[in-house]
């Protein structure tokens, strides 16, 4: 498993959500800080990305904004400050009259535990870029399909939308990795891949450090610098995240889910799951 696949796996625990937003007012809108990871794609018009830390960044149709840490930001018609933008109004709202100044897609996932996934911590909180759609025509196809799904929801749209949001994030991370490597530690990436592919294996720090080609102390130090967690804490978190995905995406019995992610009994899994997510597995699945 590569690092981008690991990143997708780490954010796909919650339910994907999104919307298509058209803005016709003279200002724009502000998105508050939230426990979400996601993106915007400008479909038409021109605008500006507004953040608290950096100068306004111009946006044009086709540009992508990736939000890795749920930071407050805004999409504006003209350069301004965050304080000068009205907050976004969520819920069902009537579309603004045409013509609109700009229109964009949003796609989000909840941040696991409200924290940025370890493999994304090298990225800035908010990043904007212009994709090369000629070199990456599949990205244009995903944008078109997602836009059509938001405009005309049909039976099965929930499942299709989640898959398309996953694909969008894959393509976005491929673009961003050239500028901000998700991990510059090949040995650590190898150990992470092993954990992600075999969560049920009874891993030890010694086994993982051997895979990484490092001494135990060096491995622990480098692992923490890359992921922000101690090795065995990360293993436990990944097992529970994998269990959460199985609960959401399959109808497998709890005992089977527990066994597939490395727990000897459903009780042990349920206890650890509730400690991490705040609800028992059965309620999470419902």
């Amino acid at each position: 498993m590569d690092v981008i696949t690991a990143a997708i796996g780490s954010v796909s625990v919650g339910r994907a959500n999104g919307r298509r937003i058209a803005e016709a007012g003279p200002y724009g809108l502000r998105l508050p800080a939230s426990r979400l990871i996601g993106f915007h794609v400008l479909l038409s018009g021109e605008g500006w990305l507004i953040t608290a830390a950096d100068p306004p960044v111009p946006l044009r149709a086709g540009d992508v904004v990736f939000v890795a840490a749920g930071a407050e930001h805004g999409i504006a018609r003209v350069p301004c400050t965050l304080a000068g933008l009205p907050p976004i109004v969520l819920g069902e709202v009537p579309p603004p009259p045409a013509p609109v100044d700009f229109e964009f897609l949003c796609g989000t996932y909840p941040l696991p535990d409200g924290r940025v996934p370890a493999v994304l911590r090298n990225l800035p909180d908010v990043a904007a870029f212009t994709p090369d759609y000629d070199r990456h025509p599949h990205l244009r196809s995903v944008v078109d399909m997602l836009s059509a799904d938001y405009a005309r929801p049909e039976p099965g749209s929930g499942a299709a939308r989640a898959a398309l949001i996953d694909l969008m994030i894959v393509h976005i991370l491929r673009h961003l990795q050239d500028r901000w490597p998700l991990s510059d530690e090949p040995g650590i990436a190898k150990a992470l891949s092993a954990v992600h592919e075999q969560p049920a294996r009874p891993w030890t720090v010694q086994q993982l450090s051997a895979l990484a080609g490092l001494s135990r102390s060096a491995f622990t130090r480098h692992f923490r610098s890359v992921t922000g967690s101690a090795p065995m804490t990360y293993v436990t978190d990944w097992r529970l995240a994998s269990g959460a995905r199985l609960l959401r995406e399959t109808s497998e019995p709890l005992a089977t889910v527990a066994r597939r992610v490395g727990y000897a009994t459903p009780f042990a899994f349920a206890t650890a799951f509730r400690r991490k997510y705040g609800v028992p597995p059965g309620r999470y699945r419902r």
Side-chain angles (χ1 to χ4, degrees):
M1 178 183 291
D2 60 88
V3 177
I4 289 180
T5 303
I8 296 300
S10 67
V11 301
S12 297
V13 175
R15 185 177 297 278
N17 199 2
R19 62 187 299 163
R20 182 170 173 164
I21 297 175
E23 173 58 48
Y27 304 112
L29 49 86
R30 171 167 44 91
L31 295 100
S34 60
R35 295 184 176 184
L36 297 172
I37 183 171
F39 61 85
H40 312 302
V41 182
L42 197 64
L43 296 177
S44 63
E46 297 181 350
W48 295 79
L49 170 64
I50 310 297
T51 62
D54 299 307
V57 176
L59 299 173
R60 61 182 182 180
D63 284 356
V64 174
V65 176
F66 185 63
V67 184
E72 183 180 36
H73 61 286
I75 307 293
R77 184 173 180 270
V78 297
C80 63
T81 63
L82 274 175
L85 290 175
I88 188 172
V89 178
L90 298 176
E92 294 297 326
V93 294
V100 297
D101 296 315
F102 52 85
E103 187 175 11
F104 59 98
L105 297 177
C106 297
T108 64
Y109 270 112
L111 283 169
D113 298 336
R115 297 179 297 176
V116 181
V119 291
L120 300 182
R121 289 177 186 163
N122 285 348
L123 298 178
D125 290 350
V126 184
F129 66 97
T130 301
D132 186 338
Y133 288 105
D134 291 333
R135 288 183 56 199
H136 303 279
H138 293 94
L139 177 57
R140 171 59 68 190
S141 298
V142 176
V143 171
D144 290 343
M145 287 189 290
L146 195 54
S147 177
D149 184 81
Y150 286 160
R152 297 178 300 277
E154 297 180 4
S157 282
R161 192 169 299 171
L164 290 170
I165 288 174
D166 279 353
L167 278 173
M168 275 298 303
I169 294 178
V170 167
H171 285 289
I172 289 170
L173 293 180
R174 285 175 179 171
H175 279 78
L176 296 180
Q177 187 171 224
D178 293 337
R179 185 172 176 185
W180 296 285
L182 300 184
S183 173
D184 54 6
E185 298 272 4
I188 301 302
K190 186 175 181 180
L192 286 170
S193 294
V195 172
H196 296 157
E197 291 171 1
Q198 303 177 66
R201 182 170 172 175
W203 292 107
T204 65
V205 175
Q206 188 63 43
Q207 290 172 329
L208 293 172
S209 62
L211 280 174
L214 297 169
S215 69
R216 181 183 175 121
S217 59
F219 171 76
T220 300
R221 184 172 63 255
H222 285 278
F223 191 95
R224 188 183 289 274
S225 72
V226 170
T227 68
S229 301
M232 298 316 297
T233 299
Y234 187 95
V235 169
T236 298
D237 287 348
W238 182 258
R239 285 172 174 161
L240 293 172
S242 299
R245 283 198 308 280
L246 290 172
L247 289 169
R248 190 183 78 247
E249 297 172 2
T250 77
S251 58
E252 291 182 349
L254 184 59
T256 302
V257 172
R259 186 169 60 252
R260 287 185 59 182
V261 298
Y263 286 85
T265 67
F267 177 78
F269 172 68
T271 300
F273 190 93
R274 183 165 190 165
R275 186 182 302 120
K276 181 175 177 64
Y277 291 108
V279 294
R283 185 180 301 171
Y284 178 91
R285 169 172 269 171
R286 289 193 297 272

